[in-house]
Amino acid sequence: SSTSAMTEARRAKHVGDPGAPGTSPLQAGLVRKGGHMVIKGRPCKVLDVSTSKTGKHGHAKCHFIAQDIFTGKKMEDLVPSSHNLAAPIVTRVEYQIIDTDEDGFASLLLEDGSQKDDLKLPLNTNDALCDEIKAKLEGEKDVFVTVLSAMGEDLIVAVKEAADK
């Protein structure tokens, strides 16, 4: 049945495949404001959810307004409440930041003592945070950054100095 395969392909493209890497399936009707979902392949934080009543032919629909957690871009999606969609697995990890280079890459100290040097500062999206990181690095205290990770992407979202011992 090629028509059902086409419908399935369209649905997967529309909602974000519930089996995509770095995601877990979640029923659309269970997603709440403040939760996370994938829209057009991007991990998003849900800003608003409204549900329409069941129509003459079936499903109640959920209307999502969400924001890409990495770019800040607003996204919308309309999904039947009984359908599964992809929810990104979002983690926040704190790393000690040692330095930044002239290209805007941060040197982070991992728990095992190795360094991670492939994460860029959020230069175009959050200049104030970049300035704060650079200013804190010039001080005497250890500096830590919070890194938000989802679906293979990482973003530095916060900075703090170590508390005095």
Side-chain angles (χ1 to χ4, degrees):
S1 68
S2 66
T3 53
S4 72
M6 281 172 56
T7 307
E8 191 59 32
R10 249 198 326 267
R11 193 187 69 74
K13 184 178 176 208
H14 174 67
V15 226
D17 178 14
T23 67
S24 63
L26 183 64
Q27 193 174 323
L30 301 176
V31 177
R32 296 285 169 249
K33 186 176 174 177
H36 294 93
M37 65 181 287
V38 176
I39 300 178
K40 296 183 181 106
R42 302 291 304 156
C44 297
K45 183 171 187 152
V46 178
L47 303 175
D48 193 37
V49 184
S50 54
T51 308
S52 64
K53 286 197 164 72
T54 310
K56 183 175 168 187
H57 296 291
H59 300 288
K61 294 222 181 348
C62 295
H63 179 239
F64 298 100
I65 298 171
Q67 186 174 27
D68 187 308
I69 61 176
F70 294 116
T71 66
K73 184 179 173 197
K74 271 199 172 172
M75 313 267 249
E76 285 189 57
D77 206 354
L78 192 65
V79 186
S81 63
S82 59
H83 283 202
N84 275 355
L85 48 80
I89 298 164
V90 180
T91 58
R92 286 175 173 268
V93 181
E94 224 171 65
Y95 296 106
Q96 183 174 347
I97 181 168
I98 305 161
D99 198 11
T100 59
D101 67 17
E102 62 275 358
D103 295 325
F105 284 93
S107 291
L108 305 177
L109 190 62
L110 303 180
E111 281 182 17
D112 63 7
S114 63
Q115 277 185 302
K116 176 178 171 66
D117 297 312
D118 60 351
L119 185 57
K120 237 177 154 58
L121 291 173
L123 292 169
N124 301 328
T125 54
N126 196 338
D127 291 329
L129 181 62
C130 293
D131 294 342
E132 190 181 349
I133 289 169
K134 288 173 184 167
K136 283 185 176 5
L137 279 172
E138 289 171 13
E140 296 296 311
K141 294 181 180 171
D142 289 344
V143 179
F144 293 87
V145 290
T146 303
V147 177
L148 188 71
S149 302
M151 296 173 66
E153 281 187 67
D154 298 317
L155 179 68
I156 295 173
V157 293
V159 63
K160 72 176 190 181
E161 288 178 343
D164 289 324
K165 291 184 175 70

